[in-house]
Amino acid sequence: MKKLLFTNLFLVTLFTVFSCSSDSDSNDSSTFKVDGVNYSLVASQGMVNIVTPNAYELEGETYNRNTFIISGIKDMTDVATVTFDLFVKNGESVDGTYQISTDQDEDTFTSIENILSSDVRVCIGWTSLVATTNIATQNFVNGNAPVGTIQIISNGGNNYTIKYNGNFKKLDQSNISVNIDLTGNVSNGS
């Protein structure tokens, strides 16, 4: 499971590296921090919301799955990617505050049904990820299982504010701090 998780995280990071543009604009709401390092959003694909085409059905309720991907770059050699795996009850807006569920790990199993049945909006922690890569040194850090809440604020159209201030866990259980307070257009990844 962990190998699959880190493989997916590596692939998202590679996508970020190869879709970057060197002429990105920088302002206060276009940077975020991972482990104390500032990253600037990638020009056209810095914030992406991928909506899974098949909704999740649970006891007569339908949940839509949104994966928010935040990609940044520093000095053209460092990239960072943060993803949040969000489930929203059908008919509800993606706009809102999501409690992050960290009930799943290798030692404790909590079914997704139990997690979803407790709320209208939930972020699944074990499938939410963070990764940083230094292209020159091939050094990378990654983790999952963020704690706390993530807030998505709709500003109209495809413009959103995304807020998160907390920690993800590395495999060795040490923390990776992430601080996000971004406002801008969110693309659908195409």
Side-chain angles (χ1 to χ4, degrees), residues 41-52:
L41 285 176
V42 175
S44 64
Q45 296 287 316
M47 294 191 294
V48 177
N49 177 23
I50 298 175
V51 180
T52 303

Side-chain angles (χ1 to χ4, degrees), residues 91-165:
E92 298 288 333
S93 168
V94 72
D95 180 72
T97 301
Y98 295 77
Q99 182 64 44
I100 300 172
S101 171
T102 57
D103 293 340
Q104 182 76 23
D105 60 36
E106 290 181 351
D107 300 323
T108 307
F109 178 76
T110 302
S111 70
I112 196 162
E113 290 85 2
N114 287 340
I115 294 168
L116 291 180
S117 67
S118 66
D119 211 338
V120 171
R121 290 179 185 80
V122 69
C123 176
I124 305 297
W126 71 90
T127 54
S128 296
L129 311 168
V130 63
T132 62
T133 303
N134 180 292
I135 299 166
T137 65
Q138 306 265 327
N139 184 31
F140 66 93
V141 174
N142 54 39
N144 68 340
V147 295
T149 60
I150 176 174
Q151 187 177 17
I152 308 290
I153 302 166
S154 175
N155 301 314
N158 64 344
N159 190 280
Y160 290 90
T161 299
I162 302 170
K163 294 183 177 193
Y164 175 76
N165 188 9

Side-chain angles (χ1 to χ4, degrees), residues 12-34:
V12 168
T13 301
L14 280 179
F15 168 78
T16 301
V17 170
F18 291 113
S19 66
C20 293
S21 169
S22 62
D23 60 346
S24 63
D25 295 328
S26 179
N27 61 43
D28 290 343
S29 68
S30 66
T31 61
F32 62 98
K33 284 186 180 182
V34 176

